Amino acid sequence: MKTLKILLAIFLIAVFPYGCMVGPKYAKPEQPQTDSFRYSNQSADSTKSVTTIKWSSIFNDDVLIGLIEKGIQNNYDLKIAIARLEQVQANLGMAKADLFPAFQYSGQVNSAETFMQPSSVFANMSWELDFWGKYRHQTKALQNELLASDEARKVVLSNIVSTIATSYFELRDFDNQLEITIHTLETRQKAYDIINERFISGYVAELDKVQIEQQVAIAEANIPLIKRQITALENSISILVGQVPQPIPRGKTNSELLILTEFPTSVPSALLENRPDVKRQEYLYKAAFERIGVAQALRYPSFNIGALAGFASITVGDLFNDGSYTQNVGAGVAGPIFNFGKNKRRVEVNRQIAEEMKFNFQKTYLTAISEVENSLQNVAMFKEEWTARNRQVVAAQKNYDLSNARYYNGYVSYLEVLDAQRSLFEAQLSLSQLTQKQLSSMVQLYKALGGGWSF
């Protein structure tokens, strides 16, 4: 009867703690609110979300899609993020185990009856009761860190897709610049051959010959520069897709890829549902908040129960006799008395860590809104700038053709032709770079809005 009362008391002690959890209650921090983005399409349906648009649907190039899929399979940053996720998941499993009793066994056999330790076989149980919620707070902290690690994986995934895409656009831009430069070199070389013959025949001054010769050399010098940039980008993309540096296959040109997609721009508060970096920071704040409870629980006494059952005997032959059986159930308590404010300061340290995580969360939220605003304006402004640059190229080409005709008819000096040729060359390169920037701005907008990078 006495043993039954002891067991009942231990059971009540074990069950009662789950209503005695210390620590503050989490409340989501307030964020600055605004109804819409400044540069968004005010007539667009703000109830729709960009997460419904799959990343592959915004690219119309199978080669680019293949590179991105290869990067998702082989990229080492993503593999590292997944390994960290699995590590946190294992730590969570370990923390959950602390909520339950631990069972052990032990055994010892001695041949000498005079030996101080008798022969024994025991099974025992030990359990630190989570009376103040120390282990439950720790478990919740790790659960939030696990969710944060998963969001970190999504951030890496988003970066991989966007970086491969923008790098590919830059690569195709350099391809186009190389083609423009080679064509310009051929044009200048033909002009040099003609002017050199006219110089030899005495029809033009040596100045004309030297001027066109200089422009030929400038075009020749640009070609190895662009080729170096192409090689560097190919090597960067190779690393992103997890392969040794090698040539990157080409698909469509940037001009063929220039298809603008209207993305739904949800109200800024919806970013919390889309942006993995914002959600990650909130989970980290929650984890830090839970550890305040862990620190507070360490200021209170801990309760332990233990049980032991088995056999012990001086003589090995009598080890498993009925008289050798023994059992015991016990409980204990231990706690701090005075340690010069160490436990109190531990709570304060964790409280300030949580404050830091909260400020990081709020800052990330504001940064997310800023990135969307910048991306929306970039898309709109690059579109307007591209239209103007395209008109400039058309006008520069016509100006060059007219200047060239005027020169060969003897109306102007070759300086006018050179000036028109330089203007055309620079306008063509600027238009090529702007085409790349326009494509990249669409990718950055999709990423800033928290686009559906997951698979």
Side-chain angles (χ1 to χ4, degrees), residues 360-387:
N360 283 336
F361 171 43
Q362 293 173 326
K363 178 183 176 181
T364 304
Y365 179 87
L366 288 177
T367 302
I369 295 177
S370 176
E371 288 178 357
V372 175
E373 294 281 15
N374 291 338
S375 297
L376 285 168
Q377 189 184 39
N378 285 342
V379 169
M381 296 300 101
F382 281 140
K383 184 177 181 180
E384 292 182 13
E385 187 178 350
W386 189 92
T387 302

Side-chain angles (χ1 to χ4, degrees), residues 125-144:
M125 181 272 290
S126 60
W127 190 8
E128 180 181 345
L129 304 178
D130 193 26
F131 198 89
W132 310 109
K134 176 176 65 176
Y135 293 127
R136 279 168 288 162
H137 278 302
Q138 180 67 12
T139 299
K140 287 184 178 180
L142 286 170
Q143 285 173 339
N144 283 295

Side-chain angles (χ1 to χ4, degrees), residues 7-28:
L7 292 174
L8 180 61
I10 292 173
F11 174 76
L12 292 174
I13 292 174
V15 173
F16 180 69
Y18 294 96
C20 301
M21 198 169 178
V22 299
K25 301 297 181 182
Y26 175 78
K28 192 169 185 175

Side-chain angles (χ1 to χ4, degrees), residues 338-407:
F338 185 72
N339 56 8
F340 302 94
K342 178 179 178 181
N343 289 332
K344 181 179 179 180
R345 290 184 175 88
R346 183 189 294 116
V347 174
E348 185 60 27
V349 167
N350 282 274
R351 198 183 302 277
Q352 294 307 317
I353 291 174
E355 279 292 294
E356 179 186 346
M357 292 297 104
K358 182 182 75 172
F359 296 143
N360 283 336
F361 171 43
Q362 293 173 326
K363 178 183 176 181
T364 304
Y365 179 87
L366 288 177
T367 302
I369 295 177
S370 176
E371 288 178 357
V372 175
E373 294 281 15
N374 291 338
S375 297
L376 285 168
Q377 189 184 39
N378 285 342
V379 169
M381 296 300 101
F382 281 140
K383 184 177 181 180
E384 292 182 13
E385 187 178 350
W386 189 92
T387 302
R389 290 290 185 188
N390 189 54
R391 292 201 309 269
Q392 180 186 359
V393 169
V394 173
Q397 181 66 58
K398 187 174 183 179
N399 181 41
Y400 170 71
D401 293 339
L402 291 174
S403 297
N404 207 40
R406 283 161 57 87
Y407 170 74

Side-chain angles (χ1 to χ4, degrees), residues 196-217:
N196 187 48
E197 289 180 3
R198 298 184 70 183
F199 166 71
I200 294 173
S201 301
Y203 292 110
V204 298
E206 186 178 7
L207 178 62
D208 288 357
K209 171 182 173 256
V210 173
Q211 287 174 336
I212 186 58
E213 187 176 9
Q214 180 184 5
Q215 295 305 311
V216 169

Side-chain angles (χ1 to χ4, degrees), residues 26 28 31 81 84-85 88 141-157 159 271-289 356-362 364-365 368:
Y26 175 78
K28 192 169 185 175
Q31 301 284 19
R84 288 173 179 168
L85 177 63
V88 176
L142 286 170
Q143 285 173 339
N144 283 295
E145 286 183 352
L146 178 62
L147 293 171
S149 296
D150 189 47
E151 295 302 325
R153 177 191 63 83
K154 294 177 184 177
V155 171
V156 174
L157 179 62
N159 290 337
L271 281 174
L272 291 175
E273 303 299 327
N274 300 340
R275 292 270 302 225
D277 55 341
V278 175
K279 294 169 70 175
R280 174 178 177 268
Q281 288 299 328
E282 183 178 8
Y283 286 132
L284 290 177
Y285 172 46
K286 287 182 178 180
F289 198 85
E356 179 186 346
M357 292 297 104
K358 182 182 75 172
F359 296 143
N360 283 336
F361 171 43
Q362 293 173 326
T364 304
Y365 179 87

Side-chain angles (χ1 to χ4, degrees), residues 109-380:
V109 177
N110 299 309
S111 60
E113 295 182 7
T114 58
F115 196 75
M116 295 181 63
Q117 295 289 336
S119 299
S120 62
V121 176
F122 282 111
N124 60 78
M125 181 272 290
S126 60
W127 190 8
E128 180 181 345
L129 304 178
D130 193 26
F131 198 89
W132 310 109
K134 176 176 65 176
Y135 293 127
R136 279 168 288 162
H137 278 302
Q138 180 67 12
T139 299
K140 287 184 178 180
L142 286 170
Q143 285 173 339
N144 283 295
E145 286 183 352
L146 178 62
L147 293 171
S149 296
D150 189 47
E151 295 302 325
R153 177 191 63 83
K154 294 177 184 177
V155 171
V156 174
L157 179 62
S158 173
N159 290 337
I160 289 171
V161 176
S162 60
T163 304
I164 291 176
T166 53
S167 297
Y168 181 80
F169 297 151
E170 290 175 7
L171 180 63
R172 298 302 282 137
D173 172 39
F174 283 128
D175 288 340
N176 192 46
Q177 288 188 42
L178 180 61
E179 185 177 338
I180 291 170
T181 305
I182 291 175
H183 176 72
T184 300
L185 174 61
E186 291 173 350
T187 302
R188 292 178 179 180
Q189 185 63 53
K190 289 178 181 177
Y192 171 78
D193 293 340
I194 294 173
I195 292 174
N196 187 48
E197 289 180 3
R198 298 184 70 183
F199 166 71
I200 294 173
S201 301
Y203 292 110
V204 298
E206 186 178 7
L207 178 62
D208 288 357
K209 171 182 173 256
V210 173
Q211 287 174 336
I212 186 58
E213 187 176 9
Q214 180 184 5
Q215 295 305 311
V216 169
I218 290 173
E220 286 178 339
N222 277 338
I223 291 176
L225 171 62
I226 297 173
K227 286 182 176 180
R228 289 200 306 271
Q229 293 171 319
I230 288 174
T231 300
L233 260 178
E234 286 182 323
N235 293 342
S236 297
I237 295 174
S238 294
I239 293 173
L240 288 170
V241 301
Q243 66 184 19
V244 296
Q246 57 187 267
I248 299 299
R250 293 344 188 238
K252 296 182 178 180
T253 64
N254 283 349
S255 297
E256 294 170 328
L257 281 165
L258 194 59
I259 298 177
L260 299 183
T261 304
E262 291 293 335
F263 297 132
T265 53
S266 304
V267 293
S269 59
L271 281 174
L272 291 175
E273 303 299 327
N274 300 340
R275 292 270 302 225
D277 55 341
V278 175
K279 294 169 70 175
R280 174 178 177 268
Q281 288 299 328
E282 183 178 8
Y283 286 132
L284 290 177
Y285 172 46
K286 287 182 178 180
F289 198 85
E290 292 294 338
R291 289 198 165 89
I292 299 175
V294 175
Q296 288 186 343
L298 290 172
R299 301 182 66 184
Y300 297 91
S302 60
F303 299 93
N304 299 271
I305 59 174
L308 178 145
F311 300 88
S313 174
I314 295 176
T315 306
V316 176
D318 297 332
L319 181 59
F320 294 103
N321 291 343
D322 291 341
S324 301
Y325 177 75
T326 182
Q327 65 179 15
N328 182 51
V329 178
V333 61
I337 296 177
F338 185 72
N339 56 8
F340 302 94
K342 178 179 178 181
N343 289 332
K344 181 179 179 180
R345 290 184 175 88
R346 183 189 294 116
V347 174
E348 185 60 27
V349 167
N350 282 274
R351 198 183 302 277
Q352 294 307 317
I353 291 174
E355 279 292 294
E356 179 186 346
M357 292 297 104
K358 182 182 75 172
F359 296 143
N360 283 336
F361 171 43
Q362 293 173 326
K363 178 183 176 181
T364 304
Y365 179 87
L366 288 177
T367 302
I369 295 177
S370 176
E371 288 178 357
V372 175
E373 294 281 15
N374 291 338
S375 297
L376 285 168
Q377 189 184 39
N378 285 342
V379 169

Side-chain angles (χ1 to χ4, degrees), residues 33 46 49 52 58 103 122 176 187 304 307 366 371 385-386 396 408-409 413 441-442 448:
Q33 298 294 325
S46 63
S49 173
T52 59
I58 69 175
F103 297 88
F122 282 111
N176 192 46
T187 302
N304 299 271
L366 288 177
E371 288 178 357
E385 187 178 350
W386 189 92
Y408 284 108
N409 285 287
S413 70
S441 70
M442 293 302 300

